[in-house]
PDB file of all heavy atoms in Angstrom:
ATOM      1  N   ALA A 206       2.870 -13.224  16.910  1.00  0.00           N
ATOM      2  CA  ALA A 206       1.974 -12.389  16.108  1.00  0.00           C
ATOM      3  C   ALA A 206       2.442 -10.933  16.096  1.00  0.00           C
ATOM      4  O   ALA A 206       2.319 -10.238  15.075  1.00  0.00           O
ATOM      5  CB  ALA A 206       0.548 -12.481  16.655  1.00  0.00           C
ATOM      6  N   LEU A 209       5.245 -10.649  13.611  1.00  0.00           N
ATOM      7  CA  LEU A 209       4.665 -10.642  12.256  1.00  0.00           C
ATOM      8  C   LEU A 209       4.129  -9.253  11.923  1.00  0.00           C
ATOM      9  O   LEU A 209       4.288  -8.764  10.795  1.00  0.00           O
ATOM     10  CB  LEU A 209       3.537 -11.667  12.154  1.00  0.00           C
ATOM     11  CG  LEU A 209       3.941 -13.144  12.096  1.00  0.00           C
ATOM     12  CD1 LEU A 209       2.703 -14.029  12.200  1.00  0.00           C
ATOM     13  CD2 LEU A 209       4.699 -13.446  10.810  1.00  0.00           C
ATOM     14  N   THR A 210       3.500  -8.606  12.898  1.00  0.00           N
ATOM     15  CA  THR A 210       2.942  -7.271  12.693  1.00  0.00           C
ATOM     16  C   THR A 210       4.046  -6.258  12.427  1.00  0.00           C
ATOM     17  O   THR A 210       3.898  -5.367  11.585  1.00  0.00           O
ATOM     18  CB  THR A 210       2.106  -6.851  13.920  1.00  0.00           C
ATOM     19  OG1 THR A 210       1.088  -7.833  14.140  1.00  0.00           O
ATOM     20  CG2 THR A 210       1.469  -5.489  13.703  1.00  0.00           C
ATOM     21  N   HIS A 211       5.166  -6.386  13.129  1.00  0.00           N
ATOM     22  CA  HIS A 211       6.325  -5.523  12.861  1.00  0.00           C
ATOM     23  C   HIS A 211       6.758  -5.639  11.405  1.00  0.00           C
ATOM     24  O   HIS A 211       6.975  -4.632  10.720  1.00  0.00           O
ATOM     25  CB  HIS A 211       7.502  -5.916  13.763  1.00  0.00           C
ATOM     26  CG  HIS A 211       7.598  -5.128  15.030  1.00  0.00           C
ATOM     27  ND1 HIS A 211       7.877  -3.767  15.041  1.00  0.00           N
ATOM     28  CD2 HIS A 211       7.463  -5.491  16.320  1.00  0.00           C
ATOM     29  CE1 HIS A 211       7.911  -3.335  16.291  1.00  0.00           C
ATOM     30  NE2 HIS A 211       7.651  -4.354  17.085  1.00  0.00           N
ATOM     31  N   GLU A 213       5.040  -6.795   8.807  1.00  0.00           N
ATOM     32  CA  GLU A 213       3.985  -6.306   7.916  1.00  0.00           C
ATOM     33  C   GLU A 213       4.035  -4.780   7.797  1.00  0.00           C
ATOM     34  O   GLU A 213       4.007  -4.217   6.694  1.00  0.00           O
ATOM     35  CB  GLU A 213       2.609  -6.726   8.443  1.00  0.00           C
ATOM     36  CG  GLU A 213       2.336  -8.214   8.421  1.00  0.00           C
ATOM     37  CD  GLU A 213       1.908  -8.722   7.064  1.00  0.00           C
ATOM     38  OE1 GLU A 213       1.724  -7.894   6.143  1.00  0.00           O
ATOM     39  OE2 GLU A 213       1.744  -9.947   6.915  1.00  0.00           O
ATOM     40  N   TYR A 252       6.374  -7.252  -0.887  1.00  0.00           N
ATOM     41  CA  TYR A 252       5.245  -7.489   0.010  1.00  0.00           C
ATOM     42  C   TYR A 252       4.419  -8.692  -0.447  1.00  0.00           C
ATOM     43  O   TYR A 252       3.975  -9.506   0.365  1.00  0.00           O
ATOM     44  CB  TYR A 252       4.372  -6.242   0.098  1.00  0.00           C
ATOM     45  CG  TYR A 252       3.388  -6.272   1.235  1.00  0.00           C
ATOM     46  CD1 TYR A 252       3.758  -6.734   2.493  1.00  0.00           C
ATOM     47  CD2 TYR A 252       2.074  -5.844   1.067  1.00  0.00           C
ATOM     48  CE1 TYR A 252       2.860  -6.765   3.549  1.00  0.00           C
ATOM     49  CE2 TYR A 252       1.164  -5.859   2.120  1.00  0.00           C
ATOM     50  CZ  TYR A 252       1.565  -6.332   3.353  1.00  0.00           C
ATOM     51  OH  TYR A 252       0.683  -6.376   4.399  1.00  0.00           O
ATOM     52  N   ALA A 287      -2.593 -17.113  14.553  1.00  0.00           N
ATOM     53  CA  ALA A 287      -3.584 -16.518  13.653  1.00  0.00           C
ATOM     54  C   ALA A 287      -4.654 -15.780  14.446  1.00  0.00           C
ATOM     55  O   ALA A 287      -5.092 -14.680  14.054  1.00  0.00           O
ATOM     56  CB  ALA A 287      -4.218 -17.599  12.782  1.00  0.00           C
ATOM     57  N   GLU A 289      -4.287 -14.380  17.405  1.00  0.00           N
ATOM     58  CA  GLU A 289      -3.688 -13.158  17.935  1.00  0.00           C
ATOM     59  C   GLU A 289      -3.539 -12.107  16.835  1.00  0.00           C
ATOM     60  O   GLU A 289      -3.703 -10.908  17.086  1.00  0.00           O
ATOM     61  CB  GLU A 289      -2.325 -13.461  18.566  1.00  0.00           C
ATOM     62  CG  GLU A 289      -2.387 -14.355  19.795  1.00  0.00           C
ATOM     63  CD  GLU A 289      -3.150 -13.727  20.946  1.00  0.00           C
ATOM     64  OE1 GLU A 289      -3.441 -12.513  20.909  1.00  0.00           O
ATOM     65  OE2 GLU A 289      -3.483 -14.466  21.906  1.00  0.00           O
ATOM     66  N   CYS A 290      -3.234 -12.540  15.627  1.00  0.00           N
ATOM     67  CA  CYS A 290      -3.166 -11.605  14.490  1.00  0.00           C
ATOM     68  C   CYS A 290      -4.526 -10.950  14.261  1.00  0.00           C
ATOM     69  O   CYS A 290      -4.616  -9.744  13.998  1.00  0.00           O
ATOM     70  CB  CYS A 290      -2.716 -12.336  13.225  1.00  0.00           C
ATOM     71  SG  CYS A 290      -0.956 -12.747  13.185  1.00  0.00           S
ATOM     72  N   PHE A 291      -5.575 -11.749  14.367  1.00  0.00           N
ATOM     73  CA  PHE A 291      -6.929 -11.213  14.205  1.00  0.00           C
ATOM     74  C   PHE A 291      -7.214 -10.169  15.287  1.00  0.00           C
ATOM     75  O   PHE A 291      -7.742  -9.089  15.000  1.00  0.00           O
ATOM     76  CB  PHE A 291      -7.955 -12.343  14.293  1.00  0.00           C
ATOM     77  CG  PHE A 291      -9.382 -11.882  14.213  1.00  0.00           C
ATOM     78  CD1 PHE A 291     -10.001 -11.687  12.992  1.00  0.00           C
ATOM     79  CD2 PHE A 291     -10.111 -11.627  15.374  1.00  0.00           C
ATOM     80  CE1 PHE A 291     -11.319 -11.248  12.915  1.00  0.00           C
ATOM     81  CE2 PHE A 291     -11.426 -11.192  15.312  1.00  0.00           C
ATOM     82  CZ  PHE A 291     -12.026 -10.999  14.084  1.00  0.00           C
ATOM     83  N   ASN A 292      -6.862 -10.472  16.525  1.00  0.00           N
ATOM     84  CA  ASN A 292      -7.117  -9.541  17.623  1.00  0.00           C
ATOM     85  C   ASN A 292      -6.331  -8.237  17.458  1.00  0.00           C
ATOM     86  O   ASN A 292      -6.825  -7.157  17.797  1.00  0.00           O
ATOM     87  CB  ASN A 292      -6.755 -10.190  18.963  1.00  0.00           C
ATOM     88  CG  ASN A 292      -7.674 -11.352  19.317  1.00  0.00           C
ATOM     89  OD1 ASN A 292      -8.814 -11.415  18.849  1.00  0.00           O
ATOM     90  ND2 ASN A 292      -7.193 -12.275  20.129  1.00  0.00           N
ATOM     91  N   ILE A 293      -5.120  -8.336  16.919  1.00  0.00           N
ATOM     92  CA  ILE A 293      -4.290  -7.145  16.702  1.00  0.00           C
ATOM     93  C   ILE A 293      -4.842  -6.291  15.567  1.00  0.00           C
ATOM     94  O   ILE A 293      -4.772  -5.064  15.601  1.00  0.00           O
ATOM     95  CB  ILE A 293      -2.827  -7.564  16.404  1.00  0.00           C
ATOM     96  CG1 ILE A 293      -2.179  -8.140  17.660  1.00  0.00           C
ATOM     97  CG2 ILE A 293      -2.008  -6.384  15.879  1.00  0.00           C
ATOM     98  CD1 ILE A 293      -0.811  -8.754  17.422  1.00  0.00           C
ATOM     99  N   GLY A 294      -5.436  -6.940  14.565  1.00  0.00           N
ATOM    100  CA  GLY A 294      -5.884  -6.246  13.358  1.00  0.00           C
ATOM    101  C   GLY A 294      -4.980  -6.515  12.178  1.00  0.00           C
ATOM    102  O   GLY A 294      -5.045  -5.849  11.146  1.00  0.00           O
ATOM    103  N   ASN A 295      -4.113  -7.528  12.311  1.00  0.00           N
ATOM    104  CA  ASN A 295      -3.176  -7.916  11.260  1.00  0.00           C
ATOM    105  C   ASN A 295      -3.827  -8.993  10.392  1.00  0.00           C
ATOM    106  O   ASN A 295      -3.564 -10.184  10.545  1.00  0.00           O
ATOM    107  CB  ASN A 295      -1.871  -8.414  11.884  1.00  0.00           C
ATOM    108  CG  ASN A 295      -0.838  -8.826  10.849  1.00  0.00           C
ATOM    109  OD1 ASN A 295      -1.094  -8.769   9.651  1.00  0.00           O
ATOM    110  ND2 ASN A 295       0.315  -9.242  11.320  1.00  0.00           N
ATOM    111  N   PHE A 296      -4.665  -8.573   9.460  1.00  0.00           N
ATOM    112  CA  PHE A 296      -5.428  -9.523   8.649  1.00  0.00           C
ATOM    113  C   PHE A 296      -4.586 -10.154   7.547  1.00  0.00           C
ATOM    114  O   PHE A 296      -4.893 -11.254   7.091  1.00  0.00           O
ATOM    115  CB  PHE A 296      -6.644  -8.825   8.031  1.00  0.00           C
ATOM    116  CG  PHE A 296      -7.630  -8.328   9.052  1.00  0.00           C
ATOM    117  CD1 PHE A 296      -7.708  -6.973   9.357  1.00  0.00           C
ATOM    118  CD2 PHE A 296      -8.467  -9.197   9.716  1.00  0.00           C
ATOM    119  CE1 PHE A 296      -8.605  -6.508  10.303  1.00  0.00           C
ATOM    120  CE2 PHE A 296      -9.377  -8.749  10.669  1.00  0.00           C
ATOM    121  CZ  PHE A 296      -9.442  -7.391  10.968  1.00  0.00           C
ATOM    122  N   ASN A 297      -3.524  -9.474   7.115  1.00  0.00           N
ATOM    123  CA  ASN A 297      -2.700 -10.025   6.040  1.00  0.00           C
ATOM    124  C   ASN A 297      -1.942 -11.256   6.524  1.00  0.00           C
ATOM    125  O   ASN A 297      -1.911 -12.288   5.843  1.00  0.00           O
ATOM    126  CB  ASN A 297      -1.721  -8.974   5.517  1.00  0.00           C
ATOM    127  CG  ASN A 297      -1.197  -9.312   4.139  1.00  0.00           C
ATOM    128  OD1 ASN A 297      -1.960  -9.380   3.163  1.00  0.00           O
ATOM    129  ND2 ASN A 297       0.095  -9.537   4.030  1.00  0.00           N
ATOM    130  N   SER A 298      -1.346 -11.174   7.717  1.00  0.00           N
ATOM    131  CA  SER A 298      -0.668 -12.357   8.273  1.00  0.00           C
ATOM    132  C   SER A 298      -1.669 -13.456   8.597  1.00  0.00           C
ATOM    133  O   SER A 298      -1.391 -14.641   8.406  1.00  0.00           O
ATOM    134  CB  SER A 298       0.109 -11.973   9.537  1.00  0.00           C
ATOM    135  OG  SER A 298       1.241 -11.197   9.231  1.00  0.00           O
ATOM    136  N   LEU A 299      -2.838 -13.066   9.089  1.00  0.00           N
ATOM    137  CA  LEU A 299      -3.893 -14.042   9.375  1.00  0.00           C
ATOM    138  C   LEU A 299      -4.245 -14.836   8.127  1.00  0.00           C
ATOM    139  O   LEU A 299      -4.305 -16.073   8.159  1.00  0.00           O
ATOM    140  CB  LEU A 299      -5.135 -13.321   9.907  1.00  0.00           C
ATOM    141  CG  LEU A 299      -6.446 -14.119   9.969  1.00  0.00           C
ATOM    142  CD1 LEU A 299      -6.307 -15.312  10.902  1.00  0.00           C
ATOM    143  CD2 LEU A 299      -7.594 -13.227  10.411  1.00  0.00           C
ATOM    144  N   MET A 300      -4.449 -14.130   7.022  1.00  0.00           N
ATOM    145  CA  MET A 300      -4.805 -14.811   5.773  1.00  0.00           C
ATOM    146  C   MET A 300      -3.658 -15.693   5.285  1.00  0.00           C
ATOM    147  O   MET A 300      -3.886 -16.809   4.790  1.00  0.00           O
ATOM    148  CB  MET A 300      -5.172 -13.784   4.706  1.00  0.00           C
ATOM    149  CG  MET A 300      -5.534 -14.380   3.360  1.00  0.00           C
ATOM    150  SD  MET A 300      -7.077 -15.333   3.401  1.00  0.00           S
ATOM    151  CE  MET A 300      -8.261 -14.036   3.032  1.00  0.00           C
ATOM    152  N   ILE A 363      -3.803  -0.273  14.911  1.00  0.00           N
ATOM    153  CA  ILE A 363      -3.267  -1.163  13.877  1.00  0.00           C
ATOM    154  C   ILE A 363      -4.382  -1.758  13.016  1.00  0.00           C
ATOM    155  O   ILE A 363      -5.304  -2.382  13.518  1.00  0.00           O
ATOM    156  CB  ILE A 363      -2.435  -2.290  14.511  1.00  0.00           C
ATOM    157  CG1 ILE A 363      -1.205  -1.707  15.196  1.00  0.00           C
ATOM    158  CG2 ILE A 363      -2.016  -3.312  13.452  1.00  0.00           C
ATOM    159  CD1 ILE A 363      -0.409  -2.721  15.985  1.00  0.00           C
ATOM    160  N   VAL A 364      -4.280  -1.525  11.725  1.00  0.00           N
ATOM    161  CA  VAL A 364      -5.153  -2.162  10.732  1.00  0.00           C
ATOM    162  C   VAL A 364      -4.275  -2.540   9.543  1.00  0.00           C
ATOM    163  O   VAL A 364      -3.721  -1.669   8.869  1.00  0.00           O
ATOM    164  CB  VAL A 364      -6.284  -1.228  10.250  1.00  0.00           C
ATOM    165  CG1 VAL A 364      -7.175  -1.972   9.241  1.00  0.00           C
ATOM    166  CG2 VAL A 364      -7.108  -0.714  11.407  1.00  0.00           C
ATOM    167  N   ILE A 365      -4.127  -3.828   9.312  1.00  0.00           N
ATOM    168  CA  ILE A 365      -3.352  -4.302   8.156  1.00  0.00           C
ATOM    169  C   ILE A 365      -4.282  -5.165   7.310  1.00  0.00           C
ATOM    170  O   ILE A 365      -4.516  -6.338   7.624  1.00  0.00           O
ATOM    171  CB  ILE A 365      -2.121  -5.113   8.604  1.00  0.00           C
ATOM    172  CG1 ILE A 365      -1.259  -4.279   9.565  1.00  0.00           C
ATOM    173  CG2 ILE A 365      -1.296  -5.551   7.402  1.00  0.00           C
ATOM    174  CD1 ILE A 365      -0.092  -5.041  10.156  1.00  0.00           C
ATOM    175  N   PRO A 366      -4.840  -4.602   6.241  1.00  0.00           N
ATOM    176  CA  PRO A 366      -5.801  -5.371   5.439  1.00  0.00           C
ATOM    177  C   PRO A 366      -5.114  -6.467   4.634  1.00  0.00           C
ATOM    178  O   PRO A 366      -3.888  -6.459   4.484  1.00  0.00           O
ATOM    179  CB  PRO A 366      -6.386  -4.301   4.514  1.00  0.00           C
ATOM    180  CG  PRO A 366      -5.284  -3.303   4.360  1.00  0.00           C
ATOM    181  CD  PRO A 366      -4.581  -3.270   5.693  1.00  0.00           C
TER     182      PRO A 366
END
Side-chain angles (χ1 to χ4, degrees):
L209 286 172
T210 303
H211 266 294
E213 293 279 355
Y252 194 42
E289 295 297 347
C290 285
F291 177 85
N292 293 335
I293 290 172
N295 181 359
F296 297 104
N297 200 63
S298 289
L299 167 62
M300 179 67 89
I363 295 173
V364 181
I365 304 175

